Amino acid sequence: MPERSHADTSPGWLGFGVANTAVITTVSVAAWYLLADPRLSPFDLYPLPFNAALFWALLFVVWAGFNLELWGFDRLRQPWRGIVFLGATSAFAVVVTYVLANGIGHLYPDYAADRPDGLGYFTGALFVLFGFSTWVLVVLNWGHWPWTDLGLKQPWVGACEIVSLLVPTALLYLVLGVPAVSETVREGTALLGIDTLLGWYYSIIVAIVLTGQTLENWPWRLAGSRMRVALVSTIGNIALGTVLFVALRAVCAVLVGTGTATDPGFPLEQFPAQLGVCWVAWMILWANAFGNKPTGGGVVANLLSRVAITFALAVTTFVLYYYVVAEIVLHEPAVADGLHGNALGFMDLFALVTLLYVVGFESFGIRRPAATVLAPEDRAVAHP
C-alpha cells in the first residue's frame, strides 16, 4: 500500500484554525485559573496587577514580534523559540509592572502599588494603550516606512521604529492618559474622562488592525507613495476610529439592553473598547490561524467577508463572555445586572496567548495545511 503524502494528512485551513483556537482557549483559561481567577487562583492579582502585567506583555510582543520581526528568536528551533519568547515576554511584563508600582511609585504617587483599586498599576499600564496603536500602526499601515526604504534590515528597522515612536507615544500618554487617572494633576485638566478615553482610543486601535490586517491596508493603499500611505492611514484611522466609537457604542447599547445602557452608573462610553477587544482578538486569530480567509474571490468580496466574519465572532464572543463565561467559568464579579467581568482582561489574555502560540511557537504540535507548509529557510514571521 503506497505511503500517504504529506498533503493527504494535512488539515485544511478551517481544521488548522479550529485546532489553534482550541489550544489557545484551553491555555487561556488554564492561565486565568492559575494567575487571575478571583476564586481559584492562589495569587491575589485580580484584576490588577494582573491586567497591568498582561498589557506590558502585549507591548513586548508588539516590539519583538511586529517591529523586530522576532529577530534573534528566529535563530532558535521550535519549541525552544517559543519557550524563550514566552520567557522573555513574561520577564519583561513582571519586571516593568513591579518597577513602576514599587519603584517609580515611591517617587510619583500616581503609580504607587497601594492606590485604591490598583489604580497605580493601571496608570502605568495605560501607556500600552497608546503604544499598541503607534507601534502596530507603523507595521500594519506604514509597512515599516521609512526605515526599509533607507535600506535598513533587522534589527535596525525595529530598533529605529521603537526609538523614534517613543516621543509621540509618550506625548499621547502624558496629554491624554495621565490626566484622566492622576491624583497629582490639577482636577479638570483631563481632556477626556477615563471611560470615554478607553472607548474612543481603543476604537482607533480597532481601525488600525481592521484596515492594516483584515483589509490589507485598503483604502489607505490608494494614496500612492509610501509616505502618503503612512500619512493618510494615520489620519484615516483616527477618523475611522472615531466613527467606530460611535457605532460600537450603539451596538453595545443594544447588546447590554436599554435599561443597563441608560443607567447613570453604567460606563457605556467604555464599552466600545470591551467589544473592540473581542473584535481585535478575532482579527488577529483569523489572520494568523485561519489564513485571513476568504482569499479566493474578488477583492471586495474577500474583504467584506472577513469584516463580517470577524465582527460576527466578536459580537458572539462579547455576549457569551458578559452573560455566561465571565460569571460561570471565570468567576468574575458583576458590573451590572446580568453582566459580569471586564473583557479588557480575559480577551487581552486570549489575544496574548494567540500571538505567543501562533506566532511565537508557530502553532507547534499542529500540522499546517499543505498549502502553507514552507521550507525552514522560506518561512517568514506571521505579522499579527
Side-chain angles (χ1 to χ4, degrees):
M1 183 174 180
E3 184 179 353
R4 296 179 68 188
S5 69
H6 179 76
D8 292 334
T9 59
S10 296
W13 67 268
L14 183 59
F16 180 73
V18 170
N20 273 279
T21 304
V23 171
I24 292 163
T25 302
T26 300
V27 172
S28 298
V29 173
W32 180 268
Y33 284 164
L34 175 62
L35 300 172
D37 191 286
R39 186 184 305 171
L40 302 178
S41 173
F43 308 104
D44 184 20
L45 302 177
Y46 178 88
L48 293 156
F50 174 77
N51 282 3
L54 178 62
F55 297 161
W56 286 112
L58 282 166
L59 185 59
F60 181 86
V61 169
V62 168
W63 284 345
F66 289 43
N67 304 110
L68 289 163
E69 298 178 308
L70 289 181
W71 181 85
F73 298 102
D74 57 4
R75 299 181 182 182
L76 301 172
R77 296 177 64 86
Q78 296 292 5
W80 295 109
R81 180 188 302 181
I83 292 171
V84 173
F85 189 48
L86 170 62
T89 301
S90 303
F92 176 85
V94 171
V95 169
V96 172
T97 301
Y98 181 84
V99 169
L100 282 175
N102 297 282
I104 295 177
H106 289 299
L107 302 175
Y108 298 95
D110 286 341
Y111 298 88
D114 59 359
R115 285 187 70 183
D117 300 320
L119 194 55
Y121 290 106
F122 179 77
T123 301
L126 188 58
F127 178 85
V128 178
L129 175 73
F130 305 99
F132 199 89
S133 70
T134 54
W135 281 298
V136 171
L137 174 76
V138 75
V139 175
L140 294 186
N141 295 120
W142 292 16
H144 295 290
W145 178 86
W147 311 111
T148 53
D149 297 37
L150 298 175
L152 297 181
K153 305 296 183 182
Q154 295 293 5
W156 301 112
V157 171
C160 288
E161 288 174 353
I162 293 168
V163 172
S164 65
L165 289 173
L166 274 174
V167 172
T169 304
L171 286 174
L172 287 168
Y173 172 64
L174 293 173
V175 172
L176 294 176
V178 172
V181 292
S182 175
E183 289 183 344
T184 58
V185 174
R186 182 168 55 88
E187 187 176 354
T189 59
L191 296 177
L192 295 171
I194 187 59
D195 290 330
T196 303
L197 174 63
L198 287 174
W200 170 65
Y201 204 87
Y202 202 95
S203 297
I204 294 175
I205 293 174
V206 173
I208 292 169
V209 178
L210 175 65
T211 60
Q213 178 176 265
T214 305
L215 299 180
E216 300 176 3
N217 220 20
W218 289 93
W220 321 134
R221 63 195 300 173
L222 299 175
S225 70
R226 280 167 54 79
M227 181 179 69
R228 283 188 289 185
V229 169
L231 178 62
V232 170
S233 65
T234 303
I235 297 171
N237 280 321
I238 294 172
L240 177 59
T242 302
V243 172
L244 284 173
F245 170 62
V246 176
L248 293 177
R249 182 178 56 187
V251 173
C252 288
V254 173
L255 296 178
V256 303
T258 304
T260 299
T262 56
D263 187 326
F266 185 74
L268 182 63
E269 297 293 298
Q270 184 192 121
F271 264 67
Q274 307 288 342
L275 178 55
V277 72
C278 298
W279 197 0
V280 167
W282 273 109
M283 285 190 285
I284 291 172
L285 181 60
W286 195 258
N288 287 282
F290 290 87
N292 226 10
K293 298 292 184 178
T295 56
V299 172
V300 174
N302 286 343
L303 301 183
L304 291 180
S305 296
R306 293 174 197 167
V307 174
I309 291 168
T310 54
F311 185 68
L313 289 168
V315 170
T316 302
T317 300
F318 178 94
V319 172
L320 288 174
Y321 172 79
Y322 274 102
Y323 286 98
V324 181
V325 175
E327 178 186 14
I328 297 175
V329 179
L330 306 178
H331 311 119
E332 295 188 78
V335 293
D337 186 23
L339 300 177
H340 289 73
N342 179 343
L344 288 171
F346 181 77
M347 290 309 300
D348 268 330
L349 174 62
F350 183 89
L352 176 63
V353 173
T354 299
L355 294 172
L356 289 172
Y357 181 63
V358 180
V359 177
F361 280 91
E362 295 181 301
S363 302
F364 183 77
I366 302 176
R367 188 183 295 276
R368 289 183 171 275
T372 66
V373 175
L374 303 176
E377 62 270 18
D378 297 327
R379 191 170 294 152
V381 176
H383 286 303

